[in-house]
């Protein structure tokens, strides 16, 4: 095991970690020793969150030096990996072996344990967030003991998956898998808002995964990205032209590959133009070998019930004067309901409004409370790993199992080893 200086900054460079050191264990036993011996400690993933959620007033643990130990079980249709494994690494291994995950986030660079801890998601009316694929977890709790939790068997399981790092260090994750499948990606441009809003459910359900991109100004959405599962015949090129017309709710088919950000080269993006390819090379927007998104950015995201999406969009468009000048781009996605206590889709089919901001944090932080107030009638839930204003007082009312989560954290971490400033403000505070 090595112990060194904690990384200075998160991926976006907008947060400076305060932790004194980082431990890089090479075995489960070393993780147990570090946790048992620490007064304050927390797991760090791939540093892609935009706030202080992963920081610790003591030290950090990274699982990056542990073998990913990817174990595919074809009989139970599951794969077990070390928590620090990145989705890109896992996806490649699964695809090589003829298997797939049901969905990916926009980027493959994030760690499995870090992504599920914040309810990270992709899109698709019928697709739950990435945490819903979790079948079992191995967690090192505050006293260094190893807990195995599995779906259906452990009463705490639904509370532990989206754990915000508050329950312990997730050393192994078992995920549901399915046989590999092919996906084609089609992009449409300049979709009139009116047509999309009149047909919102039809638009979001028209492909396996639909993402709508906008800057909230004007009369038209900038782009729609449609990721469709295709059959073997289609993948072989039979019937491709007939797959979808040249318009989509008033938008026109892009004839060159696009980046979600206007004017940015699409070379960082997964292949488009309807060319079929394996799920592992289409479901994320960005390729593993390149910088995802812009790199110089901040992010926020808010989730509302699907029935409230059109009304919530009207509120956000009305704030365009405040939002658009600070924005690089927004993405609208859908997420299926689940039963994970702190999931942003808990109990409700949801629509996520994502904001990729310019790196003007002070101004973004001024506009966030205004947006949260506008979305308050819809009980909007903020993404745990991105920038938001709400504190524990208001978040508690958004999650029916919030108090149960706090009880679970108290049981697994009675000495508050895993607590940090984020948890104090957003979960355990008044
Ligand atoms: C360019 C970009 C694109 C993004 N796109 C999306 C997207 O499409 N959809 C989406 O929902 N989000 C997206 N995000 C947000 C990102 O997915 C989340 O912030 C995610 O939690 C980051 O995972 P990470 O591995 O970097 O974890 P970190 O940010 O390092 O940590 C996040 C949390 O996980 C905990 N954690 C990490 N590892 C462990 C472990 N082993 N055991 C217990 N807890 C652990 C940490 O303590 C912390 O609480 C994006 C972020 C970026 C930078």
């Amino acid at each position: 095991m090595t112990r060194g200086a904690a990384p200075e900054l998160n991926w976006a460079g907008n947060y400076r970690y305060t932790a004194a050191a980082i431990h890089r264990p090479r075995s489960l036993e070393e993780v147990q020793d570090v946790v048992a011996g620490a007064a304050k400690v927390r797991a760090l993933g791939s540093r892609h969150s935009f706030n202080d959620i992963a920081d610790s007033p003591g030290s950090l643990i990274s699982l990056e030096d542990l073998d990913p130990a990817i174990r595919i079980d074809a009989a139970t249709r599951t794969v077990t990996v070390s928590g620090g494994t990145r989705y890109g690494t896992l996806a490649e291994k699964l695809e090589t072996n003829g298997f797939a995950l049901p969905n990916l986030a926009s980027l493959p660079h994030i760690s499995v344990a870090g992504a599920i801890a914040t309810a990270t998601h992709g899109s698709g009316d019928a697709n739950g967030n990435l945490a819903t694929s979790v079948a079992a977890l191995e967690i090192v709790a505050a006293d260094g003991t190893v807990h195995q939790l599995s779906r259906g068997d452990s009463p705490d399981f639904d509370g532990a998956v989206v754990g915000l790092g508050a329950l312990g260090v997730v050393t192994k994750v078992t995920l549901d898998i399915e046989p590999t499948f092919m996906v084609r990606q089609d992009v449409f441009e300049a979709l009139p808002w009116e047509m999309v809003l009149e047909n919102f459910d039809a638009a979001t359900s028209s492909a396996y995964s639909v993402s709508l991109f906008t800057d909230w100004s004007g009369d038209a959405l900038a782009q729609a990205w449609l990721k469709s599962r295709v059959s073997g015949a289609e993948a072989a090129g039979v019937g491709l032209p007939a797959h979808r017309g040249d318009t989509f709710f008033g938008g026109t088919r892009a004839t060159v590959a696009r980046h979600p950000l206007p004017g940015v080269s699409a070379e960082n993006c997964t292949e488009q133009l309807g060319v079929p390819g394996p799920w592992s090379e289409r479901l994320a927007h960005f390729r593993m070998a390149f910088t995802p998104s812009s790199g110089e950015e901040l992010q926020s995201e808010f989730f509302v019930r699907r029935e409230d999406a059109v009304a919530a969009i009207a509120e956000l468009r009305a704030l365009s004067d405040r939002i658009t000048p600070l924005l690089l781009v927004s993405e609208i996605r859908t997420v299926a309901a689940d039963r994970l206590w702190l999931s942003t889709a808990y109990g409700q089919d949801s629509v996520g409004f994502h904001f990729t901001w310019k790196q003007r944090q002070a101004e973004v932080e001024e506009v966030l409370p205004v947006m949260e107030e506008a979305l308050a009638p819809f009980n909007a839930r903020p993404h745990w790993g991105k920038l938001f204003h709400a504190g524990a007082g208001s978040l508690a009312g958004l999650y029916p199992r919030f108090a149960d989560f706090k009880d679970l954290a108290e049981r697994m971490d009675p000495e508050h080893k895993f607590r940090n400033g984020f948890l104090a403000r957003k979960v355990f505070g008044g």
Side-chain angles (χ1 to χ4, degrees):
M1 175 167 54
T2 60
R3 183 179 187 278
E8 284 189 11
L9 299 170
N10 64 347
W11 173 87
N14 72 307
Y15 182 76
R16 188 168 290 276
Y17 295 103
T18 61
I22 187 160
H23 304 270
R24 298 183 181 277
R26 293 217 169 86
S27 66
L28 174 62
E29 293 69 31
E30 288 185 355
V31 177
Q32 293 179 266
D33 286 348
V34 172
V35 173
K40 287 277 185 191
V41 68
R42 263 179 94 72
L44 180 68
S46 56
R47 299 182 291 113
H48 282 85
S49 294
F50 291 85
N51 56 36
D52 57 340
I53 188 169
D55 204 358
S56 164
S59 59
L60 294 168
I61 298 186
S62 164
L63 303 185
E64 276 177 351
D65 286 357
L66 282 174
D67 185 339
I70 301 176
R71 196 165 41 79
I72 296 171
D73 186 334
T76 57
R77 289 258 172 102
T78 57
V79 63
T80 301
V81 289
S82 167
T85 310
R86 293 180 189 237
Y87 272 96
T89 309
L90 172 59
E92 201 181 317
K93 175 86 173 186
L94 285 174
E95 170 56 19
T96 308
N97 286 277
F99 287 100
L101 295 168
N103 213 356
L104 292 172
S106 71
L107 76 176
H109 309 67
I110 47 178
S111 76
V112 173
I116 64 172
T118 66
T120 289
H121 64 100
S123 192
D125 281 8
N127 295 327
N129 65 39
L130 303 188
T132 61
S133 291
V134 177
L137 291 175
E138 177 184 272
I139 307 184
V140 175
D143 59 0
T145 56
V146 179
H147 296 235
Q148 309 285 347
L149 302 179
S150 53
R151 186 167 55 206
D153 292 337
S154 321
D156 295 333
F157 178 83
D158 286 348
V161 182
V162 181
L164 313 182
L167 309 178
V169 178
V170 172
T171 39
K172 279 202 185 118
V173 184
T174 301
L175 298 164
D176 297 330
I177 54 175
E178 58 187 280
T180 183
F181 55 90
M182 301 287 277
V183 175
R184 58 176 287 164
Q185 192 161 220
D186 298 88
V187 173
F188 292 84
E189 300 179 282
L191 295 80
W193 266 115
E194 205 180 328
M195 279 188 74
V196 172
L197 293 178
E198 270 172 23
N199 302 283
F200 190 75
D201 291 339
T204 65
S205 64
S206 56
Y208 183 66
S209 161
V210 174
S211 290
L212 303 171
F213 291 94
T214 179
D215 71 359
W216 304 103
S217 70
D219 296 331
L221 287 124
Q223 296 177 7
W225 286 35
L226 276 54
K227 299 175 197 276
S228 312
R229 285 173 79 138
V230 294
S231 66
E234 268 184 303
V238 182
L240 268 186
H243 177 79
R244 204 178 283 286
D246 281 333
T247 59
F248 179 70
F249 297 100
T252 50
R253 180 182 286 281
T255 51
V256 293
R258 293 291 185 204
H259 191 286
L261 295 173
V264 176
S265 153
E267 84 165 334
N268 299 11
C269 299
T270 49
E271 190 154 357
Q272 303 163 25
L273 303 174
V275 179
W279 65 280
S280 51
E281 294 172 20
R282 296 292 182 280
L283 290 180
H285 299 333
F286 303 107
R287 297 180 205 253
M288 184 73 174
F290 290 87
T291 302
S293 198
S294 134
E296 259 188 54
E297 65 191 65
L298 304 169
Q299 295 187 8
S300 303
E301 191 165 17
F302 300 96
F303 300 82
V304 302
R305 285 168 359 130
R306 208 172 288 169
E307 316 62 305
D308 291 331
V310 170
I313 287 171
E315 294 293 335
L316 292 168
R317 288 182 75 200
L319 285 175
S320 165
D321 283 359
R322 301 286 310 269
I323 295 172
T324 309
L326 296 174
L327 197 67
L328 290 170
V329 75
S330 262
E331 181 177 5
I332 303 174
R333 288 175 282 187
T334 53
V335 189
D338 63 56
R339 305 300 305 161
L340 305 173
W341 300 352
L342 290 195
S343 164
T344 43
Y346 176 85
Q348 54 198 43
D349 287 330
S350 300
V351 174
F353 302 113
H354 161 85
F355 301 81
T356 301
W357 303 108
K358 295 173 185 164
Q359 273 204 335
R360 288 158 59 178
Q361 187 148 348
E363 291 160 272
V364 168
E365 282 177 353
E366 265 176 39
V367 84
L368 285 173
V370 179
M371 293 164 62
E372 291 178 26
E373 197 182 329
L375 295 176
F378 313 111
N379 294 319
R381 295 168 174 165
H383 192 304
W384 293 107
K386 303 184 180 180
L387 297 176
F388 63 97
H389 174 75
S394 29
L395 294 173
L398 303 176
Y399 293 91
R401 304 297 299 269
F402 206 78
D404 294 328
F405 179 82
K406 287 166 60 170
D407 289 348
L408 175 60
E410 200 61 43
R411 268 191 284 128
M412 290 188 71
D413 180 21
E415 289 167 13
H416 302 176
K417 254 181 204 188
F418 301 119
R419 300 282 172 92
N420 64 4
F422 177 93
L423 290 174
R425 295 193 313 281
K426 308 291 191 187
V427 179
F428 296 99

